[in-house]
């Protein structure tokens, strides 16, 4: 019988693979190390506790959380439909859902204007009836964040639904449980980790959203100026503040990876 390879044996990596792999890691890690090394840590208390930074951070946390709640409420049912076998047009719908992932965020902001702006398809009748317009309000920030974050949640939950054992759902339906009861009592507990992972990803994406936000919501301090916008503006006036605020966003991203490590990183 052929000898099975020892799983604990040292893997020999060819040089032609090791060199580009090392370069790829350096390209990803060096800029992040540069942020941490160059950050003026002595000014951290002054900059982080400043009124503008606190207002931007508070707005980002509130709007990202609101966007995540909306994404969960809308995305979980959408993922459930996409995961159903034999759904007509599922491939086309899935492709449309993934468009925001590759669409330039600024284009997403322009697209939101065409629908919800004062002259938009829905925004115009809304403005004429109520006098309310979404652009350049905190609501616009939330809508922009939902637009870019929703695909992350839908794709994550759909993957969990496809990987779950549908026999439990079929058994409950056979016993007479209503479809909504099956979804609430069987499906949701099965895909709970996928929903949690998708929600965390959506929250992190919403927190870091810039292009669609500044296009659709603008830059009004205390109203629509989120933390990524504050970083961009600080580059022109106070580069030290931009570095520290960038490190703050980096810390949030690392925290997200730590939360998702048990789900996505293989354990030895």
């Amino acid at each position: 019988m052929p000898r099975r390879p020892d799983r604990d044996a040292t893997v020999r990596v060819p040089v032609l693979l090791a060199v580009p792999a090392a370069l790829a890691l350096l390209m990803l890690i060096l800029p992040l190390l540069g942020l941490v090394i160059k950050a003026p840590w002595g000014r951290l208390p002054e900059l982080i506790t400043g009124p503008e930074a606190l207002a931007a951070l508070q707005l980002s946390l509130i709007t990202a959380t609101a966007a995540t709640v909306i994404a969960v409420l809308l995305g979980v049912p959408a993922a459930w439909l996409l995961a159903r076998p034999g759904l007509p047009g599922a491939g086309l719908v899935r492709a449309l859902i993934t468009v925001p992932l590759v669409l330039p965020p600024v284009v997403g902001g322009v697209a939101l204007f065409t629908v919800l702006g004062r002259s938009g398809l829905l925004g115009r009748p809304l403005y004429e009836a109520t006098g309310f317009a979404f652009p350049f309000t905190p609501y616009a920030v939330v809508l922009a964040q939902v637009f870019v974050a929703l695909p992350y949640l839908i794709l994550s939950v759909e993957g969990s639904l496809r990987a779950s054992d549908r026999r439990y759902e079929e058994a409950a339906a056979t016993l007479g449980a209503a479809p909504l009861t099956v979804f609430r009592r069987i499906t949701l507990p099965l895909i709970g980790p996928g929903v949690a992972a998708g929600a965390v990803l959506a929250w992190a994406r919403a927190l870091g959203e810039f292009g669609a936000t500044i296009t659709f919501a603008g830059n009004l301090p205390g109203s629509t100026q989120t933390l990524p916008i504050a970083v961009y503006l600080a580059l022109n006036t106070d580069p030290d503040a931009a570095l520290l605020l960038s490190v703050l966003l980096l810390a949030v991203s690392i925290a997200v990876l730590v939360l998702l490590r048990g789900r996505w990183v293989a354990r030895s």
Side-chain angles (χ1 to χ4, degrees), residues 15 23 57 88 94 96 101 106 123 133 159 169 173 200-201 212 223 234 244 265 268:
V15 175
L23 290 175
L57 177 60
R94 189 177 296 106
L96 293 175
L101 297 177
V106 174
E169 297 176 311
V200 172
L201 277 178
S223 179
L244 286 173
V265 178
S268 57

Side-chain angles (χ1 to χ4, degrees), residues 92-133:
L92 176 61
V93 174
R94 189 177 296 106
L96 293 175
I97 287 174
T98 57
V99 166
L101 297 177
V102 297
L103 191 71
V106 174
V107 177
V110 174
L112 288 171
F113 256 118
T114 63
V115 176
L116 298 172
R118 288 190 179 184
S119 301
L121 299 176
L122 300 178
R124 185 169 188 172
L126 175 65
Y127 181 71
E128 292 175 350
T130 65
F132 173 78

